[in-house]
Amino acid sequence: MEDIEAIAALQDSVRRRLYEYVVDQGREVGRNEAAQAVGVARTLAAHHLDKLAEVGLLNSGSRRLTGRSGPGAGRPAKVYSPARAERSVSLPARDYRTVASLLAEAAEEAGLDSQLFATARRRGETDRGSVTPCGDLEEAMGVLAARGYAPHLEGGGEEDGGVAPRVVRMRNCPFHTVAERFPPLVCGMNLALLEGLIGDGPVAVRMEARPGGCCVVLEDSGTEGSSKNNSH
C-alpha cells in the first residue's frame, strides 16, 4: 500500500513537476527555488513538497541557505532531496528483484562475468539497431534519459571557464538494488550494455564508481570511432 500511495501522489501535475525538479538537481532544494522553477506560489510548493516527503518520495531537512552561521545568519530553511528508496507496483504481485539477485549470485559463483558482459554488449548493440553511434554527449544523454539514468552534464561551462572536460554522470542507476549486492558483476554488465548502446564513436564510456549514482560515466573521446576504455 505504501508504494501505491507514493506513486499515486505523483498524479497531480504540479507535484510531479516539483518531484522531477528536485530529482534532476541531485542536491538539496529549498521551497523558494522549487516554487520558482515550476512557476507556482511558495505556499503551494511547500504543500506539495511536504506531501512528497510524507509518502517517502523525498527526504526533508533544514539548513541555512545563505551559507552563513551564527547571529544574523537567519533561520534554517526547509530543504528537500531525492529519497533513495525504490517504489514499484505490480498487479498481481511479482518479484523480479529476487530473480535478478539469484541470477546474479549464480553468475558470480560460476565465474560467468565475461559471458555476461559479452551478452550485455550485444543487447546494447541490438537495442541501438541500425542507428549510428551517438555523435556527441547531448545525443547520448537523450538515449540515457529515455532509459531512466537521469544523465547530468558537468564541465565545459562558464562557471569553470570552459576548462574542465565535459563529463556525463548519471544520478540514477536502473540496477541499483542488485548492483549494491554484486557491484563488480552488475556494474561491469552496465558498462558493457552502455558501450553497445552508445556505440564506437566520439563518445567514450568508462567506469567511475561513485557513491549514490551510476558507476558509468561518458565523456568526449576526442576522436571519431575511437575505442572505449574497457574496465571489465
Side-chain angles (χ1 to χ4, degrees):
M1 287 298 294
E2 290 182 357
D3 283 359
I4 294 176
E5 291 175 358
I7 294 172
L10 296 174
Q11 184 175 358
D12 183 278
S13 61
V14 173
R15 192 174 294 162
R16 186 169 60 253
R17 283 157 49 206
L18 285 165
Y19 173 75
E20 290 172 348
Y21 178 77
V22 174
V23 170
D24 286 345
Q25 303 318 298
R27 56 174 172 77
E28 292 180 329
V29 174
R31 289 171 167 175
N32 286 338
E33 178 187 346
Q36 292 174 5
V38 303
V40 299
R42 182 183 183 280
T43 52
L44 180 60
H47 166 73
H48 285 306
L49 290 167
D50 284 341
K51 180 62 179 179
L52 290 167
E54 179 184 325
V55 298
L57 291 175
L58 296 179
N59 295 324
S60 64
S62 61
R63 67 177 177 85
R64 290 187 173 91
L65 299 179
T66 61
R68 296 179 297 168
S69 60
R75 297 176 58 188
K78 199 161 188 180
V79 292
Y80 304 84
S81 60
R84 295 286 294 166
E86 296 180 9
R87 302 290 182 178
S88 63
V89 174
S90 177
L91 298 173
R94 298 289 186 262
D95 190 5
Y96 302 113
R97 186 179 302 173
T98 297
V99 172
S101 295
L102 288 172
L103 291 172
E105 184 175 354
E108 190 172 75
E109 291 178 352
L112 299 177
D113 303 48
S114 59
Q115 293 94 320
L116 175 62
F117 300 157
T119 300
R121 174 149 188 152
R122 286 196 302 271
R123 170 56 68 87
E125 293 170 345
T126 299
D127 289 352
R128 176 161 51 86
S130 60
V131 178
T132 58
C134 291
D136 53 35
L137 290 178
E138 285 73 18
E139 183 180 348
M141 288 177 67
V143 172
L144 295 170
R147 288 176 167 258
Y149 283 90
H152 174 68
L153 182 64
E154 299 179 1
E158 294 181 358
E159 66 278 3
D160 54 34
V163 176
R166 299 199 315 157
V167 175
V168 173
R169 291 190 170 89
M170 278 72 86
R171 289 173 171 156
N172 181 55
C173 172
F175 317 110
H176 172 71
T177 300
V178 185
E180 276 196 323
R181 291 191 59 192
F182 310 97
L185 183 76
V186 178
C187 291
M189 177 204 73
N190 188 25
L191 175 66
L193 176 67
L194 293 186
E195 285 178 341
L197 191 64
I198 300 302
D200 291 318
V203 177
V205 185
R206 63 177 174 83
M207 188 80 78
E208 183 182 296
R210 302 178 76 203
C214 178
C215 58
V216 177
V217 300
L218 275 59
E219 62 189 3
D220 294 312
S221 67
T223 59
E224 295 285 339
S226 68
S227 60
K228 306 290 188 295
N229 291 325
N230 195 325
S231 299
H232 48 259

